[in-house]
Amino acid sequence: MSSAPNVTRATPDGVTWLASAGTYPRSTLALWEERPDAPIVLPCGTVFDVVSAPAIFGRRMLDRLWDEGPGSGPVAVFRGRVLLFTAPGTAQRLPSLLNWEEWGSHRTDEVPPLLCHGPGDAVTVPALTGNDTPGSSRWLVAPDTRHPWLPGPEVLLWAAVRAARSAVRISIFPPADQDAKVYDVSRRR
């Protein structure tokens, strides 16, 4: 079993990759050189899409990706949500896969809605420097290469379903009556 890498600060190659998503990558890089502690808003849809999940469920998905699956691309936390950076096109395809899996019919606190950000959307990207202040945006898995592997919609569906199954324990048997008398009938003839 593997676990998520402990990369909480973006490397120069990772910064270059992130900046390439912006309309003006050189301006984005200049801004980050001047203020590496500043979060920035970047558009989705060309370099990456983002799937946003509530914090606890998002961590379950991330655990599944690293413990049982292929790992993840960059992952951030922002305002109580986990932002999974995914392959472009994921935001358009994942909702139909979730519908096919009947995601909405089983929705509970343990199976939350996932927000998909693609073309026309933008997300706040954490500062380049690690920030461990509670409630602040930060990297769980920071970008560390110019060409990170980004999971696609099928991988995210797999992780979401696995995370949901681990969170929701459904039994076909009714709960046991605590006051019931139990008799051993195995020796009766």
Side-chain angles (χ1 to χ4, degrees), residues 53-55 58-59 62 74-85 124-127 131 133-141:
R59 283 305 301 233
L62 186 59
V75 180
V77 174
F78 182 70
R79 293 189 177 173
R81 296 190 69 86
V82 171
L83 308 176
L84 297 129
F85 286 69
T124 300
V125 175
N131 186 351
T133 306
S136 67
S137 64
R138 68 184 191 287
W139 291 105
L140 293 177
V141 180

Side-chain angles (χ1 to χ4, degrees), residues 105-118:
S105 65
H106 303 296
R107 189 161 294 150
T108 66
D109 289 339
E110 291 83 16
V111 183
L114 301 178
L115 306 177
C116 298
H117 304 285

Side-chain angles (χ1 to χ4, degrees), residues 40-88:
I40 193 165
V41 176
L42 291 175
C44 299
T46 55
V47 174
F48 55 78
D49 282 357
V50 171
V51 174
S52 172
I56 293 172
F57 191 78
R59 283 305 301 233
R60 285 185 189 134
M61 286 179 63
L62 186 59
D63 289 346
R64 294 300 166 280
L65 286 167
W66 282 100
D67 292 345
E68 303 168 14
S72 72
V75 180
V77 174
F78 182 70
R79 293 189 177 173
R81 296 190 69 86
V82 171
L83 308 176
L84 297 129
F85 286 69
T86 64

Side-chain angles (χ1 to χ4, degrees), residues 96-174:
S96 62
L97 291 175
L98 290 169
N99 286 338
W100 176 76
E101 192 64 37
E102 298 179 350
W103 192 261
S105 65
H106 303 296
R107 189 161 294 150
T108 66
D109 289 339
E110 291 83 16
V111 183
L114 301 178
L115 306 177
C116 298
H117 304 285
D121 297 327
V123 294
T124 300
V125 175
L128 301 179
T129 58
N131 186 351
D132 294 332
T133 306
S136 67
S137 64
R138 68 184 191 287
W139 291 105
L140 293 177
V141 180
D144 60 354
T145 178
R146 286 179 191 247
H147 304 285
W149 177 79
L150 299 172
E154 294 83 6
V155 172
L156 267 286
L157 174 68
W158 173 86
V161 168
R162 290 274 176 123
R165 286 182 183 156
S166 72
V168 178
R169 302 286 182 214
I170 300 172
S171 175
I172 60 172
F173 300 105

